[in-house]
Amino acid sequence: MENFDFYSPTHFVFGEDRENECGELVKKLGAKKILIHYGSGSAVKSGLLGRVKDSLDKAGVAYAELGGVKPNPRDTLVYQGIELCKKEGVELILAVGGGSVIDSSKAIAAGVCYDGDFWDFYCGKAEIKKALPVASVLTIAAAGSEGSPSSVITKEDGMVKRGTGSDLIRPVFSILDPKLTCTLPAYQTACGATDIMAHVFERYFTNTDEVEITDRLCEAVLLTMIKETPRAIAQPDNYQARANIMWAGTVAHNDIVGVGRSQDWNSHGIEHELSGLYDCAHGAGLAVVMPAWMEFVHKHNCMRFAQMATRVFGCQMNFEGPEKTAMEGIRCFRRFLHEIGMPINFEELGAKEEDIPALADNMKINGTRDGFVKLTRDDVCEILKIAAHAKL
Ligand code: NZQ
Ligand code: ZN
């Protein structure tokens, strides 16, 4: 295990109806005027936004509002949010929604405190030095943004999707009411589940030895997702399934399962090019990319993939041919994704094989991380070709 610092100061407020406490939580932080930032309508339709406002009114907290965040949140709305916060003297941003709303809130929070263009943080020109506090009421278990220091924004001009990170934009509190996720369509539930599993796999495939504790934590989250995702899809109102998935989503990405070990993140890098270009759901893109990446790199450490296959998917170990066990595990993962309704190849995702060179060029500009296996541009093309033609 490697040395590490673990700093995850978000106050998680978990359970049924806990969103009614948001007013008091904001008041305790001393914010008198806040921005409520939300998405394209689900929070209005479900009545959540109304309950959040009631809670703020009761606590005597004033608010401005900005809705309309799209999945794969855009820079254009971030600029509007920054202007609005400056004009209204906003002191805290309350995200009511999923990863897209939280990420947009984080971008606004950093942008308000910066004299230049907020995009500088996303294209590597500047580091976040100051930000307004961000808090969240989460409505989908997926991106883990409710506990992460990251934010991913898409530049409308050219649909370029880029990320940034800083502990300054980690939410100060996040309210997690599993009941709020019961209105999710099956497809969004599955996209979220795929992202949660991908966040674990990005950490699981490591070059660091002797990481039993984080290996076992990773496996626990994966096994939970394999059990609970089909249950939540079959019974959307199953509170216990939703609750287990919701907490799995947070621990999958606040790094508790990834400390002290090298991580990969190249599947995410490749996927961000897909959701940038096609505006597809992040989880759907990962369902296509991640098993393809696994097939491409498994020989780098067959035993680690065989460990995943046996411990997570219950495959039999083939001691004469661990590579076969490794490949069986990857097949099981892809089959699981198919069973929960995710696309598994380009056709199902709506992607085009002729775009592969452009996708890989973009990746090259962005640069690939060292990760589990350092990838060249040709490697990225190969992975995308596997993804294009994947079958069960
Ligand atoms: O906009 P509304 O109307 O709310 O609809 C949303 C949206 O269409 C809907 N939804 C959310 N909660 C709902 C609901 N519909 C019914 N009932 C509910 N309770 O679901 C759709 C997807 O929402 P979105 O916020 O886009 O989903 P997610 O949480 O998966 O976020 C995806 C974004 O997060 C980024 C992704 O790249 C993508 O842009 N990521 C952020 C990370 C981070 N900040 O740490 C890490 C991730 O790896 C990821 O890259
Ligand atoms: Zn993700």
Side-chain angles (χ1 to χ4, degrees):
M1 201 191 296
E2 296 167 5
N3 292 355
F4 65 86
D5 281 31
F6 181 67
Y7 178 69
S8 180
T10 305
H11 175 189
F12 294 106
V13 180
F14 191 100
E16 208 167 339
D17 299 331
R18 303 292 309 264
E19 61 273 17
N20 298 329
E21 295 170 38
C22 72
E24 281 305 317
L25 286 161
V26 170
K27 193 173 157 189
K28 236 192 257 172
L29 291 166
K32 293 191 180 59
K33 176 118 193 212
I34 70 163
L35 176 73
I36 310 175
H37 199 30
Y38 55 95
S40 305
S42 75
V44 179
K45 205 169 135 202
S46 67
L48 170 63
L49 203 68
R51 293 203 298 284
V52 165
K53 287 183 192 171
D54 285 349
S55 173
L56 293 167
D57 288 339
K58 267 189 209 141
V61 176
Y63 49 81
E65 283 179 56
L66 182 64
V69 180
K70 292 181 187 163
N72 301 319
R74 309 296 204 269
D75 63 334
T76 41
L77 195 67
V78 172
Y79 291 116
Q80 278 185 43
I82 293 170
E83 283 314 306
L84 184 62
C85 286
K86 285 182 178 167
K87 193 174 121 218
E88 299 279 341
V90 160
E91 294 167 331
L92 178 147
I93 303 177
L94 180 63
V96 180
S100 294
V101 175
I102 304 174
D103 285 6
S104 184
S105 301
K106 289 173 172 179
I108 295 170
V112 171
C113 302
Y114 182 60
D115 285 336
D117 181 350
F118 92 91
W119 188 253
D120 291 353
F121 302 129
Y122 292 77
C123 65
K125 266 199 203 155
E127 245 177 64
I128 299 174
K129 294 269 164 57
K130 200 176 165 207
L132 293 181
V134 175
S136 80
V137 179
L138 186 66
T139 62
I140 173 171
S145 189
E146 69 277 9
S148 86
S150 326
S151 161
V152 188
I153 299 290
T154 299
K155 198 177 183 49
E156 194 104 43
D157 182 13
M159 291 298 279
V160 185
K161 191 174 184 184
R162 295 290 179 263
T164 190
S166 163
D167 277 325
L168 293 166
I169 55 172
R170 216 187 261 266
V172 284
F173 71 78
S174 283
I175 298 179
L176 277 56
D177 175 355
K179 211 170 65 177
L180 298 178
T181 66
C182 293
T183 53
L184 280 168
Y187 184 76
Q188 287 299 341
T189 300
C191 285
T194 306
D195 195 17
I196 292 168
M197 293 178 80
H199 291 163
V200 175
F201 281 134
E202 297 280 19
R203 293 170 165 99
Y204 194 73
F205 295 105
T206 181
N207 293 318
T208 311
D209 293 328
E210 304 275 7
V211 283
E212 186 70 7
I213 175 64
T214 39
D215 268 4
R216 292 296 188 177
L217 288 170
C218 284
E219 289 156 7
V221 177
L222 293 165
L223 286 163
T224 301
M225 295 308 296
I226 291 168
K227 173 172 182 252
E228 300 292 19
T229 307
R231 198 153 77 118
I233 289 172
Q235 307 158 26
D237 290 330
N238 189 316
Y239 180 86
Q240 297 303 343
R242 295 288 188 184
N244 280 292
I245 291 173
M246 200 164 210
W247 191 236
T250 300
V251 297
H253 201 42
N254 79 344
D255 220 24
I256 193 100
V257 305
V259 291
R261 52 199 288 151
S262 71
Q263 304 181 7
D264 190 71
W265 297 100
N266 279 320
S267 295
H268 265 70
I270 298 172
E271 193 296 312
H272 284 164
E273 300 308 330
L274 289 174
S275 48
L277 186 64
Y278 303 114
D279 204 15
C280 58
H282 172 60
L286 284 169
V288 173
V289 170
M290 190 143 229
W293 171 85
M294 288 178 170
E295 279 185 29
F296 186 78
V297 302
H298 76 280
K299 287 193 181 137
H300 174 67
N301 187 345
C302 270
M303 286 309 284
R304 182 147 279 279
F305 277 91
Q307 177 178 303
M308 178 268 288
T310 53
R311 290 185 184 172
V312 178
F313 290 103
C315 301
Q316 287 293 308
M317 182 66 199
N318 183 331
F319 291 96
E320 286 73 43
E323 196 193 320
K324 292 197 176 78
T325 313
M327 279 303 287
E328 182 55 25
I330 299 166
R331 271 193 294 278
C332 287
F333 178 40
R334 193 178 272 130
R335 206 174 305 131
F336 173 78
L337 294 170
H338 169 74
E339 282 166 9
I340 62 170
M342 284 289 91
I344 55 152
N345 54 39
F346 266 30
E347 195 189 343
E348 291 179 12
L349 183 69
K352 296 193 196 91
E353 198 172 354
E354 60 260 33
D355 291 335
I356 288 178
L359 289 161
D361 284 344
N362 230 353
M363 266 297 284
K364 201 175 153 204
I365 297 161
N366 202 14
T368 66
R369 299 158 188 258
D370 282 359
F372 185 59
V373 174
K374 180 154 176 61
L375 302 179
T376 63
R377 180 189 179 280
D378 287 350
D379 294 339
V380 172
C381 288
E382 278 311 306
I383 291 166
L384 287 167
K385 274 184 206 153
I386 297 171
H389 298 284
K391 287 194 188 84
L392 286 179

